[in-house]
Amino acid sequence: MKDIKSMTLSELTDELVDMGEAGFRARQVYTWLHGGVTDFAQMSNLSKSLRQKLAQRYDITAPKVARKQVSQLDGTVKYLWELRDGNCIETVLMRYHHGNTVCISTQVGCRMGCRFCASTVAGKVRDLTPSEMLDQVLFSQLDSGMPISNIVLMGIGEPTDNLDNVLRFLDLVNSPEGLNIGMRHISLSTCGVVPGIERLAELGLQLTLSVSLHAPDSPTRSRIMPVNNAYDVEELFDACHRYFRKTGRRISFEYAMIDGVNDSDEQADLLARKLRGMPAHVNLIPLNDVVESAFKPSRRVAAFQKRLESHGVTATVRRSLGGDIDASCGQLRRRAMQERAGRSEKEGSEEA
Ligand code: SAH
């Protein structure tokens, strides 16, 4: 069975025309799908026979809420979804003054290996389909009743490691017949995969590129991010400069502050030098303490920010949301996996 929600409207139109249907039927089906309908039987403006034909050929994805946490502090909602094959992924819904923002996952797990990140501890299991990315937006909006105006691809996974599906997802979520979320309301975050950045530059999409930099010098960056061994920080800065020249879009640099690793004044000075000639925004992130990691949060966040600003670099400190609900970076999935493993160990020992 084909995954109907991963199809663009024009592909769906071709399919229906091939089935001998009028082209406008595709728009009707597409509108139902993007409104969150999960059963062809509910598509009441289609004939019964067409609904049956569709149900024989196509599958409609619909994740189940495996767990939901709501922050008492700021209303952040975190979903753990169970996909059809039993895998789980996370989505976080945050309330900001400028609108509600959803942070979605692009893969089940991640193979990039950043040393401070919980999402990558158990490696990558598989890529998400475009429909599974769309579903995170669709169903967190439907379940929470919070209209979503912004999307960040900053959940579990590396978007450039699943770029074809990510681009197709962007087409879906951007379409006027669907959720109609503008590219300028979407951010894509990468750990620095240079060919991915280049492909995005070629496409010239109006989304915001976020680069997880975390260190301005190669020795430090290699220590915390294995991707730096494939594309080192000099190549990465070159790609960023080209990206800016090509798209005219300001890049946002993520920088998680780690105690004694990347938080010195010298590193702030070097970072400012590397960014010269390109309007950039540095987002300083207080490191989330991940149990599996030896790294600790820096105590120099404010000093580092001041130092960057003294060089004329715009730097903000990311406000931490959902502090009471494991709301970041694969922590909920990690915990659910551990609980599941613990349960099966226990079940195993009871059997023994
Ligand atoms: N793979 C993409 C997107 C997912 S990670 C990327 O690397 O950009 C989203 C952001 O969270 C990245 O900037 C990542 O480096 C950061 N991050 C991961 N673990 C973190 C932690 N323990 N504390 C703070 N930020 C973290």
Side-chain angles (χ1 to χ4, degrees), residues 112-115 221-231:
M112 295 297 142
C114 300
R115 304 266 185 262
R221 197 160 188 269
S222 287
R223 189 176 154 202
I224 54 179
M225 302 177 75
V227 68
N228 197 68
N229 297 317
Y231 311 103

Side-chain angles (χ1 to χ4, degrees), residues 9 16 21 39 44 58 70 80 94-95 146 164 170 183 192 199 221 226 229 236 255 260 282 296 334:
L9 179 56
L16 289 198
E21 297 293 329
D39 188 344
S44 54
Y58 303 108
V70 183
L80 184 74
M94 296 159 288
R95 293 168 190 268
M146 286 158 64
D164 288 336
L170 294 176
M183 283 293 174
R199 196 161 157 211
R221 197 160 188 269
N229 297 317
L236 177 56
Y255 201 104
V282 177
K296 295 292 157 231
R334 210 49 219 128

